[in-house]
Amino acid sequence: MAQKLVPPRRWGSLAIGSERCHWRPCDGSGLRAFTYFATVAEDVSKIAIIGAGHVGVTHAAGFAELGHSVAAVDINKQRVAALRRGEVWFHEPGLQELLTRGLRNRRVTITSSFVTALRNAEFVVVCVPTPSTPDGTLDDSALRAAFEAVRRHSKSPPPIVVNKSTVPVGTGDAAAEILEQSGIRVVSNPEFLSEGKAIDDFFHPTRIVIGARDHEAGSRVAALYERLEAPVIITDPVTAELAKLAANSFLATKISFANALARVADHLGADVEELTRTLSLDPRIGPGHLRAGLGFGGSCLPKDVLAMEHLARRSSAPYELFAAVTAINREQRTLVIDHLMVRLDGVRGKRIAVLGASFKGGTDDLRESPALAVISELAAGGADVRIYDPSVRVQLEGVLVSPSAMSAVRGADAVVVATDWPEFSKLDLGRLRAAMRGRVLVDGRGLYDAARAREVGLDYYGFGRGGRQRPEPGTGA
Ligand code: UDX
Ligand code: UDX
């Protein structure tokens, strides 16, 4: 890696071939730009990325933007073909444009050949999935396959393997042993990208965590990010791997805490939104991940809490906290079904519209989606389910996919809002009520004003937001 001259972040930059030209904004001097172009020595690293998914593509486009040269490899040939055309196979705002820029200026290449991707790599960033198994452990088979590919195809000098995949804690060390026999060092570098704002998270990380047994390898990985402003923590691999699980488990705990509060609020006639707002103003608590509702899903939070529970059990440490977080989360879905059973006098044959299928607004990702769980349960219970989601094209047996929210709710006995897409918050509740046959509205994401919903004649339920009518002052009700 060549020593470099880093221009300040506020300077503009333009990639020309493998070089990069930097200029000061508004200095009015094209000459100055060319002068700088002639003298800048760019610190380009050659990075291979294994797994061109949500994490892999974001890192490919992001590292390219930081000036590195990136080759991403994936076993899925269709995805590779689409990505080469600049088409990102999942919904992530801004990523398509960033990837296209990387492809055009040749800082990014996409391939299905491990030989091509790994040929000149100084770093191999591993971003393959590690899904949960039923007992809460993580399936690391894709990870092991990726490590094996590195061992087989890497050339001398050996690359540093940077693991982004969430791993069974301790895998860093185990894998390091396998690869180190071939002179390949492994560094753990968990990602904290949130879907829907992955690009912003990449360029403005809250922290960069690096777990390395070899300090020089850790420092070289840290240098990949040196144009970003963020605290860098270099620690041992096990601590780094736990840092990811701990962060996601804590976020999940906040959500389940808010949902437990919502249950109490429902019982006492309090308002959970006002309650969590008072909590969030305490800087020791903070505002994030305190929205009560249908609970958490996605590829990370559910599996990371399960993994924490598993590790706690294995360590004879208190695991009940993590088990409770998962249990509360699952109960949220059951509450919706139970509520509909009571309000509709059973769901069989009832027409129920579900707005949202993805695990949260702003993504088309269905992994561990609470919305999808509710849809499946209603369909299994014999309901006539109509769904609408702005970005998900899902096909489910016995479920009709509607082209818009209003067409989904037309003639419905009940409507469940299951995902927090911004367009759902803008729905006109009066029109919604008029289009429905019945009047039950389950606001699974706290998007509406309970009083307004009741005003237009809806039988409204929102978790902790007035499921029970507030007692009238003085009535003792
Ligand atoms: C990532 C992580 O790597 C995971 O451990 C973390 O917990 C969540 O984020 P993600 O990028 O979301 O996974 O997964 P996905 O979008 O499914 O992409 C993974 C890609 O890896 C897919 O394109 C898949 O085809 C590819 N893959 C999978 C390989 O290239 N090799 C394999 O052996 C398996
Ligand atoms: C999460 C972490 O935020 C990110 O740092 C990590 O790297 C990957 O996992 P993501 O899975 O994209 O990101 O989703 P996130 O925004 O955390 O939401 C997870 C789930 O919790 C969603 O289903 C969302 O609807 C739900 N949620 C979130 C709530 O129910 N209430 C909240 O207040 C926040």
Side-chain angles (χ1 to χ4, degrees):
M1 208 155 58
Q3 192 52 40
K4 74 167 178 181
L5 184 54
V6 187
R9 293 177 84 205
R10 63 182 184 282
W11 284 37
S13 82
L14 172 71
I16 302 175
S18 63
E19 295 298 333
R20 186 165 276 252
C21 162
H22 300 271
W23 70 90
R24 273 182 222 274
C26 309
D27 70 357
S29 164
L31 185 64
R32 186 192 293 259
F34 279 100
T35 310
Y36 191 74
F37 175 53
T39 54
V40 73
E42 190 62 58
D43 188 10
V44 175
S45 292
K46 295 193 179 73
I47 302 174
I49 291 187
I50 303 184
H54 293 75
V55 173
V57 178
T58 306
H59 278 83
F63 277 137
E65 202 62 18
L66 295 183
H68 303 300
S69 167
V70 185
V73 59
D74 198 288
I75 53 168
N76 185 318
K77 293 207 161 78
Q78 276 173 324
R79 286 177 183 171
V80 167
L83 290 168
R84 276 184 162 161
R85 295 191 298 271
E87 292 162 18
V88 176
W89 58 270
F90 49 90
H91 179 82
E92 185 60 52
L95 187 53
Q96 184 126 329
E97 293 75 5
L98 205 64
L99 175 69
T100 304
R101 191 151 72 212
L103 291 166
R104 285 216 183 107
N105 64 29
R106 294 168 197 272
R107 285 180 185 269
V108 179
T109 52
I110 313 277
T111 176
S112 48
S113 159
F114 281 87
V115 176
T116 308
L118 297 171
R119 200 165 31 211
N120 299 315
E122 295 167 276
F123 298 89
V124 183
V125 182
V126 179
C127 307
V128 294
T130 47
S132 277
T133 60
D135 70 356
T137 56
L138 298 178
D139 174 359
D140 65 351
S141 50
L143 188 75
R144 290 185 175 276
F147 285 159
E148 179 52 27
V150 177
R151 197 187 61 76
R152 201 158 349 124
H153 300 297
S154 296
K155 297 272 178 288
S156 190
I160 294 174
V161 170
V162 183
N163 185 35
K164 292 259 170 217
S165 296
T166 308
V167 293
V169 172
T171 305
D173 275 3
E177 278 163 26
I178 298 167
L179 289 176
E180 273 170 9
Q181 286 161 8
S182 312
I184 298 170
R185 291 171 291 175
V186 181
V187 171
S188 165
N189 176 210
E191 50 81 22
F192 299 99
L193 304 179
S194 174
E195 288 184 29
K197 55 189 279 288
I199 293 177
D200 194 48
D201 286 346
F202 179 87
F203 288 108
H204 304 102
T206 48
R207 71 285 204 198
I208 292 164
V209 178
I210 293 168
R213 292 201 298 184
D214 177 317
H215 196 80
E216 196 260 341
S219 303
R220 283 187 61 197
V221 173
L224 294 176
Y225 298 96
E226 67 182 348
R227 292 200 66 204
L228 302 178
E229 276 164 21
V232 177
I233 297 164
I234 301 186
T235 179
D236 63 90
V238 175
T239 305
E241 287 157 14
L242 268 175
K244 166 81 185 248
L245 297 185
N248 280 343
S249 297
F250 191 72
L251 295 175
T253 304
K254 285 185 87 179
I255 297 169
S256 281
F257 184 85
N259 283 330
L261 282 182
R263 300 279 289 277
V264 175
D266 266 346
H267 193 72
L268 300 178
D271 184 317
V272 77
E273 204 173 327
E274 284 167 28
L275 192 58
T276 50
R277 206 168 84 82
T278 68
L279 293 181
S280 68
L281 292 170
D282 183 334
R284 292 168 303 176
I285 299 174
H289 283 63
L290 277 177
R291 263 178 297 114
L294 203 46
F296 57 82
S299 66
C300 290
L301 263 53
K303 93 170 174 191
D304 291 352
V305 186
L306 281 176
M308 267 319 292
E309 181 191 336
H310 178 80
L311 287 174
R313 282 180 191 271
R314 227 181 59 191
S315 318
S316 303
Y319 61 86
E320 294 88 346
L321 172 67
F322 307 110
V325 169
T326 300
I328 294 169
N329 195 48
R330 291 200 177 135
E331 273 164 26
Q332 298 306 99
R333 305 154 190 198
T334 313
L335 284 177
V336 171
I337 307 292
D338 290 352
H339 182 78
L340 291 171
M341 293 291 279
V342 171
R343 286 304 214 244
L344 299 176
D345 198 15
V347 296
R348 182 165 295 280
K350 302 289 164 39
R351 186 179 292 183
I352 301 174
V354 181
L355 300 185
S358 56
F359 81 93
K360 67 173 184 179
T363 175
D364 57 356
D365 197 338
L366 293 170
R367 287 177 287 183
E368 295 287 328
S369 167
L372 202 59
V374 167
I375 293 167
S376 309
E377 190 131 343
L378 289 173
D384 169 10
V385 187
R386 314 269 158 120
I387 67 167
Y388 167 70
D389 188 287
S391 81
V392 175
R393 307 278 164 262
V394 67
Q395 283 194 333
L396 293 166
E397 204 169 311
V399 173
L400 196 92
V401 181
S402 301
S404 70
M406 285 315 288
S407 65
V409 305
R410 196 157 296 123
D413 295 302
V415 173
V416 179
V417 180
T419 307
D420 56 348
W421 280 100
E423 74 167 78
F424 297 159
S425 356
K426 294 184 199 127
L427 281 177
D428 178 333
L429 292 182
R431 273 188 68 210
L432 180 115
R433 168 71 186 94
M436 291 172 67
R437 178 166 71 190
R439 51 186 216 95
V440 174
L441 172 64
V442 179
D443 180 4
R445 293 295 175 185
L447 301 185
Y448 309 108
D449 180 65
R452 166 78 190 133
R454 295 206 176 97
E455 225 171 73
V456 301
L458 287 161
D459 174 4
Y460 175 89
Y461 175 69
F463 295 92
R465 305 172 86 245
R468 206 172 86 97
Q469 298 287 336
R470 277 174 204 246
E472 290 299 324
T475 61

